[in-house]
Amino acid sequence: MVVVMKREATEAEIERVAEKVREAGGEAFVSRGAVHTIIGLVGETAVFRGLELESLPGVDRIIQIGKPYKMVARALHPEPTFVRVGPAVVGRGMFTMIAGPCAVESEEQAMTAARAAKDAGASILRGGAFKPRTSPYSFQGLGRAGLEILAACREETGLPVVTEVLEPRDVELVATWADALQIGTRNMQNFALLKEVGATKKPVMLKRGLSATVEEWLMAAEYIAQRGNSGIILCERGIRTFEPSTRNTLDLGGMAVAQLESHLPVIVDPSHAMGHKDLVAPMARAAVAAGADGVMVDVHHDPGSALCDGPQALRPEELQALTKELHALATALGRQIG
Ligand code: PEP
Ligand code: MN
């Protein structure tokens, strides 16, 4: 159950609703939007009905939602959410290109990739300082030093930075350096981590879990929104199927479902989905044609020497050509570059 407050509702009126719910043994999560404040109720629906919340001052309406997700549901919040990452914007009707190295390996490598992203016309720089690797013997990322390098790349190129955070205890550190926090596929249901990033004011890019349904993905986003952070970008990055010829199976259908079900922007990462550089461009084009709100790709000046995911990295000139194509395609489809 969700309480939608009137546009002109005062803080005292919002607090009164929340207080009444708490007194009745429920929990109330207040989410302040640009236009309306909404309050998500957790607890017994029958008890809440008895409170007659609709008669309280400042309350616009009560919505009973049939879907398990509420705050991220389009049914509740039909206007699209635009997420600002530094000067860049990600949202419906726009197209935002994100590019950068899979992992920050050194200042020189990251800076080369950041310049390539900037020159190609990308709007956001990606790069991992904390890497979730399948093998504990693989390169785990530079950690804090990697964050400092990313900040230097931002300084040099002006591009805002999105980078992954792996653990709740690192959220504060990563949030002080990054413009947006990435939750990787392996952590999509790390609820402690979701709550922690939900408590920050930084935008969050939430990648779809390796084996997660769209509903589970949206429920994970709900954890972040429930903590008061509605700056969420969903990222489809391929799921596990029986098909071994690509690293994962890019689920553009799932991307479209997420867009239909949610007001949040949904982008696509064809690099991690396909795992091979020759397959990145076709799926990036398909993603734009299908309506994705952005695309995120890996770039490396020397993929053969990359410490992480080299086979899927584009070279700078390939990124340049792809970005040009995607921008042309998005513009032809009437979208703004974010
Ligand atoms: C990444 O983007 O660097 C990454 C690790 O992606 P995923 O979580 O989708 O595997
Ligand atoms: Mn990677």
Side-chain angles (χ1 to χ4, degrees):
M1 208 179 218
V2 170
V3 180
V4 182
M5 300 301 292
K6 286 185 179 144
R7 189 186 275 261
E8 66 277 8
T10 65
E11 272 307 308
E13 287 167 347
I14 295 167
E15 196 36 48
R16 188 155 166 215
V17 174
E19 209 38 57
K20 239 185 137 170
V21 170
R22 292 187 191 116
E23 277 165 22
E27 281 186 276
F29 291 93
V30 179
S31 166
R32 291 173 170 79
V35 182
H36 286 284
T37 289
I38 61 175
I39 307 174
L41 310 190
V42 179
E44 287 298 321
T45 308
V47 174
F48 299 147
R49 275 205 204 95
L51 297 176
E52 295 185 355
L53 297 171
E54 57 278 22
S55 60
L56 289 182
V59 173
D60 184 37
R61 59 191 194 281
I62 310 283
I63 300 182
Q64 193 76 43
I65 298 192
K67 306 273 185 192
Y69 33 86
K70 300 173 170 52
M71 305 230 160
V72 305
R74 206 157 92 152
L76 173 75
H77 187 304
E79 323 85 64
T81 287
F82 292 93
V83 179
R84 282 173 200 287
V85 180
V89 183
V90 192
R92 217 55 61 79
M94 310 197 62
F95 173 75
T96 308
M97 186 73 182
I98 306 172
C102 174
V104 175
E105 301 166 10
S106 68
E107 174 138 6
E108 198 189 346
Q109 168 261 4
M111 199 60 92
T112 308
R115 287 196 192 107
K118 174 72 179 177
D119 292 347
S123 304
I124 301 175
L125 174 67
R126 64 146 289 146
F130 293 91
K131 295 304 300 176
R133 303 305 300 277
T134 300
S135 165
Y137 302 110
S138 299
F139 175 59
Q140 303 286 311
L142 296 180
R144 189 193 170 100
L147 298 175
E148 292 177 16
I149 291 172
L150 286 168
C153 292
R154 172 177 50 214
E155 187 72 22
E156 162 92 11
T157 61
L159 293 178
V161 168
V162 58
T163 193
E164 181 160 356
V165 58
L166 294 178
E167 302 184 44
R169 66 174 177 193
D170 291 335
V171 168
E172 204 181 312
L173 171 71
V174 178
T176 56
W177 293 91
D179 299 284
L181 307 171
Q182 179 172 320
I183 301 292
T185 193
R186 294 159 188 82
N187 266 323
M188 190 206 81
Q189 282 187 320
N190 180 340
F191 301 115
L193 183 60
L194 297 176
K195 288 180 194 171
E196 202 68 31
V197 298
T200 73
K201 296 204 183 331
K202 290 284 160 138
V204 178
M205 179 193 291
L206 178 65
K207 295 189 106 180
R208 180 177 177 187
L210 279 169
S211 301
T213 63
V214 173
E215 185 173 298
E216 288 162 343
W217 186 19
L218 294 175
M219 292 310 288
E222 188 81 10
Y223 267 90
I224 301 170
Q226 202 193 47
R227 268 15 199 210
N229 188 349
S230 55
I232 305 165
I233 301 164
L234 299 168
C235 179
E236 159 62 34
R237 47 78 70 207
I239 49 174
R240 273 233 170 138
T241 68
F242 53 82
E243 175 54 64
S245 63
T246 52
R247 186 177 181 187
N248 293 284
T249 297
L250 181 65
D251 183 14
L252 287 182
M255 183 280 295
V257 172
Q259 283 190 324
L260 195 67
E261 287 291 313
S262 171
H263 52 85
L264 300 173
V266 188
I267 68 161
V268 168
D269 174 350
S271 302
H272 287 84
M274 308 311 285
H276 191 288
K277 76 176 186 64
D278 293 343
L279 301 172
V280 172
M283 290 304 100
R285 289 191 289 260
V288 178
D293 301 312
V295 161
M296 178 162 88
V297 297
D298 286 4
V299 60
H300 198 288
H301 68 284
D302 179 15
S305 74
L307 297 180
C308 184
D309 289 349
Q312 70 195 32
L314 300 181
R315 292 175 186 277
E317 61 278 13
E318 292 166 330
L319 175 71
Q320 180 102 30
L322 177 63
T323 308
K324 200 169 160 209
E325 227 175 36
L326 298 186
H327 280 167
L329 189 53
T331 307
L333 290 169
R335 317 243 284 279
Q336 274 183 40
I337 304 304

